PDB file of all heavy atoms in Angstrom:
ATOM      1  N   LEU A 416     -23.576  -0.710   0.907  1.00  0.00           N
ATOM      2  CA  LEU A 416     -23.703  -1.727  -0.127  1.00  0.00           C
ATOM      3  C   LEU A 416     -24.497  -2.969   0.244  1.00  0.00           C
ATOM      4  O   LEU A 416     -24.618  -3.879  -0.599  1.00  0.00           O
ATOM      5  CB  LEU A 416     -22.288  -2.143  -0.588  1.00  0.00           C
ATOM      6  CG  LEU A 416     -21.345  -1.094  -1.073  1.00  0.00           C
ATOM      7  CD1 LEU A 416     -20.014  -1.769  -1.659  1.00  0.00           C
ATOM      8  CD2 LEU A 416     -21.936  -0.172  -2.069  1.00  0.00           C
ATOM      9  N   SER A 417     -25.032  -2.999   1.421  1.00  0.00           N
ATOM     10  CA  SER A 417     -25.690  -4.211   1.880  1.00  0.00           C
ATOM     11  C   SER A 417     -26.877  -4.688   1.039  1.00  0.00           C
ATOM     12  O   SER A 417     -27.164  -5.834   0.949  1.00  0.00           O
ATOM     13  CB  SER A 417     -26.122  -4.091   3.319  1.00  0.00           C
ATOM     14  OG  SER A 417     -24.976  -4.124   4.221  1.00  0.00           O
ATOM     15  N   GLU A 418     -27.572  -3.761   0.477  1.00  0.00           N
ATOM     16  CA  GLU A 418     -28.729  -4.057  -0.435  1.00  0.00           C
ATOM     17  C   GLU A 418     -28.254  -4.802  -1.630  1.00  0.00           C
ATOM     18  O   GLU A 418     -28.972  -5.676  -2.163  1.00  0.00           O
ATOM     19  CB  GLU A 418     -29.534  -2.835  -0.751  1.00  0.00           C
ATOM     20  CG  GLU A 418     -30.355  -2.242   0.382  1.00  0.00           C
ATOM     21  CD  GLU A 418     -31.228  -1.107  -0.059  1.00  0.00           C
ATOM     22  OE1 GLU A 418     -31.444  -0.963  -1.287  1.00  0.00           O
ATOM     23  OE2 GLU A 418     -31.750  -0.474   0.774  1.00  0.00           O
ATOM     24  N   THR A 419     -27.078  -4.436  -2.159  1.00  0.00           N
ATOM     25  CA  THR A 419     -26.557  -4.988  -3.383  1.00  0.00           C
ATOM     26  C   THR A 419     -25.608  -6.193  -3.205  1.00  0.00           C
ATOM     27  O   THR A 419     -25.626  -7.065  -4.043  1.00  0.00           O
ATOM     28  CB  THR A 419     -25.764  -3.909  -4.138  1.00  0.00           C
ATOM     29  OG1 THR A 419     -26.489  -2.708  -4.096  1.00  0.00           O
ATOM     30  CG2 THR A 419     -25.445  -4.290  -5.526  1.00  0.00           C
ATOM     31  N   CYS A 420     -24.911  -6.209  -2.069  1.00  0.00           N
ATOM     32  CA  CYS A 420     -23.852  -7.232  -1.896  1.00  0.00           C
ATOM     33  C   CYS A 420     -23.920  -7.840  -0.526  1.00  0.00           C
ATOM     34  O   CYS A 420     -24.326  -7.167   0.472  1.00  0.00           O
ATOM     35  CB  CYS A 420     -22.484  -6.588  -2.061  1.00  0.00           C
ATOM     36  SG  CYS A 420     -22.166  -5.795  -3.615  1.00  0.00           S
ATOM     37  N   GLU A 421     -23.554  -9.114  -0.440  1.00  0.00           N
ATOM     38  CA  GLU A 421     -23.200  -9.716   0.860  1.00  0.00           C
ATOM     39  C   GLU A 421     -21.750  -9.295   1.135  1.00  0.00           C
ATOM     40  O   GLU A 421     -20.889  -9.420   0.304  1.00  0.00           O
ATOM     41  CB  GLU A 421     -23.271 -11.228   0.766  1.00  0.00           C
ATOM     42  CG  GLU A 421     -24.702 -11.740   0.642  1.00  0.00           C
ATOM     43  CD  GLU A 421     -24.657 -13.263   0.454  1.00  0.00           C
ATOM     44  OE1 GLU A 421     -23.777 -13.942   0.935  1.00  0.00           O
ATOM     45  OE2 GLU A 421     -25.641 -13.775  -0.179  1.00  0.00           O
ATOM     46  N   ILE A 422     -21.475  -8.754   2.348  1.00  0.00           N
ATOM     47  CA  ILE A 422     -20.133  -8.273   2.700  1.00  0.00           C
ATOM     48  C   ILE A 422     -19.561  -9.172   3.755  1.00  0.00           C
ATOM     49  O   ILE A 422     -20.125  -9.273   4.870  1.00  0.00           O
ATOM     50  CB  ILE A 422     -20.254  -6.888   3.208  1.00  0.00           C
ATOM     51  CG1 ILE A 422     -20.690  -5.904   2.039  1.00  0.00           C
ATOM     52  CG2 ILE A 422     -18.869  -6.397   3.662  1.00  0.00           C
ATOM     53  CD1 ILE A 422     -21.645  -4.888   2.456  1.00  0.00           C
ATOM     54  N   GLU A 423     -18.534  -9.963   3.425  1.00  0.00           N
ATOM     55  CA  GLU A 423     -17.946 -11.014   4.273  1.00  0.00           C
ATOM     56  C   GLU A 423     -16.520 -10.610   4.603  1.00  0.00           C
ATOM     57  O   GLU A 423     -15.681 -10.620   3.752  1.00  0.00           O
ATOM     58  CB  GLU A 423     -18.037 -12.309   3.590  1.00  0.00           C
ATOM     59  CG  GLU A 423     -17.450 -13.475   4.459  1.00  0.00           C
ATOM     60  CD  GLU A 423     -17.316 -14.800   3.681  1.00  0.00           C
ATOM     61  OE1 GLU A 423     -17.686 -14.830   2.431  1.00  0.00           O
ATOM     62  OE2 GLU A 423     -16.845 -15.766   4.256  1.00  0.00           O
ATOM     63  N   GLU A 424     -16.301 -10.379   5.926  1.00  0.00           N
ATOM     64  CA  GLU A 424     -14.903 -10.205   6.364  1.00  0.00           C
ATOM     65  C   GLU A 424     -14.260 -11.608   6.504  1.00  0.00           C
ATOM     66  O   GLU A 424     -14.826 -12.485   7.204  1.00  0.00           O
ATOM     67  CB  GLU A 424     -14.906  -9.453   7.701  1.00  0.00           C
ATOM     68  CG  GLU A 424     -13.461  -9.220   8.176  1.00  0.00           C
ATOM     69  CD  GLU A 424     -13.353  -8.541   9.542  1.00  0.00           C
ATOM     70  OE1 GLU A 424     -14.374  -8.287  10.144  1.00  0.00           O
ATOM     71  OE2 GLU A 424     -12.203  -8.203   9.883  1.00  0.00           O
ATOM     72  N   ILE A 425     -13.113 -11.762   5.939  1.00  0.00           N
ATOM     73  CA  ILE A 425     -12.398 -13.049   6.046  1.00  0.00           C
ATOM     74  C   ILE A 425     -11.479 -13.021   7.248  1.00  0.00           C
ATOM     75  O   ILE A 425     -10.573 -12.181   7.284  1.00  0.00           O
ATOM     76  CB  ILE A 425     -11.619 -13.294   4.755  1.00  0.00           C
ATOM     77  CG1 ILE A 425     -12.461 -13.220   3.473  1.00  0.00           C
ATOM     78  CG2 ILE A 425     -10.907 -14.559   4.834  1.00  0.00           C
ATOM     79  CD1 ILE A 425     -13.607 -14.155   3.460  1.00  0.00           C
ATOM     80  N   THR A 426     -11.762 -13.846   8.192  1.00  0.00           N
ATOM     81  CA  THR A 426     -11.043 -13.825   9.504  1.00  0.00           C
ATOM     82  C   THR A 426     -10.208 -15.077   9.712  1.00  0.00           C
ATOM     83  O   THR A 426      -9.475 -15.165  10.715  1.00  0.00           O
ATOM     84  CB  THR A 426     -11.942 -13.558  10.653  1.00  0.00           C
ATOM     85  OG1 THR A 426     -12.965 -14.604  10.659  1.00  0.00           O
ATOM     86  CG2 THR A 426     -12.670 -12.212  10.550  1.00  0.00           C
ATOM     87  N   ASP A 427     -10.357 -16.038   8.829  1.00  0.00           N
ATOM     88  CA  ASP A 427      -9.670 -17.371   9.034  1.00  0.00           C
ATOM     89  C   ASP A 427      -8.536 -17.635   8.057  1.00  0.00           C
ATOM     90  O   ASP A 427      -8.080 -18.717   7.836  1.00  0.00           O
ATOM     91  CB  ASP A 427     -10.704 -18.486   9.011  1.00  0.00           C
ATOM     92  CG  ASP A 427     -11.413 -18.535   7.570  1.00  0.00           C
ATOM     93  OD1 ASP A 427     -11.238 -17.598   6.765  1.00  0.00           O
ATOM     94  OD2 ASP A 427     -12.086 -19.563   7.378  1.00  0.00           O
ATOM     95  N   ARG A 428      -7.985 -16.526   7.444  1.00  0.00           N
ATOM     96  CA  ARG A 428      -6.893 -16.650   6.559  1.00  0.00           C
ATOM     97  C   ARG A 428      -5.768 -15.706   6.919  1.00  0.00           C
ATOM     98  O   ARG A 428      -6.074 -14.511   7.308  1.00  0.00           O
ATOM     99  CB  ARG A 428      -7.280 -16.456   5.094  1.00  0.00           C
ATOM    100  CG  ARG A 428      -8.342 -17.448   4.608  1.00  0.00           C
ATOM    101  CD  ARG A 428      -8.698 -17.214   3.143  1.00  0.00           C
ATOM    102  NE  ARG A 428      -7.635 -17.560   2.247  1.00  0.00           N
ATOM    103  CZ  ARG A 428      -7.506 -18.740   1.711  1.00  0.00           C
ATOM    104  NH1 ARG A 428      -8.331 -19.715   1.956  1.00  0.00           N
ATOM    105  NH2 ARG A 428      -6.450 -19.007   0.857  1.00  0.00           N
ATOM    106  N   ALA A 429      -4.551 -16.043   6.764  1.00  0.00           N
ATOM    107  CA  ALA A 429      -3.369 -15.209   6.994  1.00  0.00           C
ATOM    108  C   ALA A 429      -3.066 -14.540   5.565  1.00  0.00           C
ATOM    109  O   ALA A 429      -3.516 -15.073   4.544  1.00  0.00           O
ATOM    110  CB  ALA A 429      -2.173 -15.971   7.473  1.00  0.00           C
ATOM    111  N   LEU A 430      -2.331 -13.449   5.605  1.00  0.00           N
ATOM    112  CA  LEU A 430      -1.903 -12.803   4.407  1.00  0.00           C
ATOM    113  C   LEU A 430      -0.320 -12.580   4.495  1.00  0.00           C
ATOM    114  O   LEU A 430       0.113 -11.945   5.436  1.00  0.00           O
ATOM    115  CB  LEU A 430      -2.635 -11.499   4.234  1.00  0.00           C
ATOM    116  CG  LEU A 430      -2.490 -10.786   2.853  1.00  0.00           C
ATOM    117  CD1 LEU A 430      -3.079 -11.658   1.762  1.00  0.00           C
ATOM    118  CD2 LEU A 430      -3.150  -9.407   2.886  1.00  0.00           C
ATOM    119  N   LEU A 431       0.345 -13.093   3.514  1.00  0.00           N
ATOM    120  CA  LEU A 431       1.835 -12.966   3.482  1.00  0.00           C
ATOM    121  C   LEU A 431       2.177 -12.333   2.189  1.00  0.00           C
ATOM    122  O   LEU A 431       1.540 -12.519   1.117  1.00  0.00           O
ATOM    123  CB  LEU A 431       2.512 -14.318   3.518  1.00  0.00           C
ATOM    124  CG  LEU A 431       2.428 -14.997   4.905  1.00  0.00           C
ATOM    125  CD1 LEU A 431       1.120 -15.802   5.004  1.00  0.00           C
ATOM    126  CD2 LEU A 431       3.609 -15.986   5.028  1.00  0.00           C
ATOM    127  N   ALA A 432       3.304 -11.550   2.198  1.00  0.00           N
ATOM    128  CA  ALA A 432       3.823 -10.922   1.001  1.00  0.00           C
ATOM    129  C   ALA A 432       5.227 -11.419   0.753  1.00  0.00           C
ATOM    130  O   ALA A 432       6.037 -11.467   1.686  1.00  0.00           O
ATOM    131  CB  ALA A 432       3.838  -9.367   1.140  1.00  0.00           C
TER     132      ALA A 432
END
Side-chain angles (χ1 to χ4, degrees):
L416 304 189
S417 288
E418 288 188 12
T419 315
C420 302
E421 295 175 25
I422 296 138
E423 179 188 0
E424 182 183 7
I425 305 301
T426 57
D427 60 351
R428 297 181 72 89
L430 191 64
L431 289 84

